[in-house]
Amino acid sequence: MATKIRLQRNGRKGYAFYSIVIADARAPRDGRFTEKIGTYNPNTNPATVDLNFERALHWVMCGAQPTDTVRNILSREGVYMKKHLLGGVAKGAFDEAQAEAKFNAWKENKQTGLAALKAKEVEAKKADAKARLEAEKKVNEEIAKKVAEKKAAEAAAKAEAEAAANAEATAEEATEAPAEA
């Protein structure tokens, strides 16, 4: 029996969620499977993978062929790195302790790289938010300037109207005063 490691689709329309399963190569995608070894959620950023590392390694060592997507997932999680190191131990290139040390160093390096990427992403979000805030402040200052100019123009027009009314009133008083005398 040819065994495959493949994804089994779950979730609703437009929001796929996958189980990583061991299945017969002839079985349909969402059909019968031998064992579920993990889950894969591509909807999160970064994609979330929950994998039973020991069982995945066992099946890869037994010769189960993964699909392309599952191969990428297993490679990212370190299953293929561990298989490679165990092959070196079997050939006598180094012992099990050295293989474990190399695997832990690889995993630590990968975690450091991921942490740096996350920090860089957070920094980029902060810079973007700061740039948007500065642009909004600039727009608000321009609007405030226009409003102040408009208010000043209205105040000047009002003062001019009052001055004209005062001048008219004084002119009327001046014409009425000689008539009374």
Side-chain angles (χ1 to χ4, degrees), residues 19-83:
S19 296
I20 303 170
V21 297
I22 309 300
D24 184 359
R26 298 167 293 188
R29 178 189 71 181
D30 299 337
R32 206 168 115 201
F33 61 90
T34 307
E35 181 180 354
K36 178 179 174 183
I37 60 170
T39 59
Y40 169 62
N41 185 0
N43 301 307
T44 60
N45 187 12
T48 307
V49 176
D50 181 29
L51 184 69
N52 184 340
F53 188 86
E54 285 77 28
R55 293 305 296 167
L57 181 62
H58 165 77
W59 282 105
V60 168
M61 295 298 281
C62 287
Q65 294 298 311
T67 60
D68 291 339
T69 306
V70 174
R71 183 180 294 111
N72 289 335
I73 292 169
L74 295 178
S75 179
R76 237 180 296 133
E77 293 296 313
V79 173
Y80 277 102
M81 180 66 168
K82 185 76 168 192
K83 178 187 177 198

Side-chain angles (χ1 to χ4, degrees), residues 122-140:
V122 167
E123 194 63 36
K125 281 184 181 179
K126 284 181 181 178
D128 184 43
K130 187 176 181 179
R132 281 187 283 140
L133 182 64
E134 292 298 323
E136 189 174 334
K137 282 181 180 179
K138 196 174 203 181
V139 168
N140 286 344

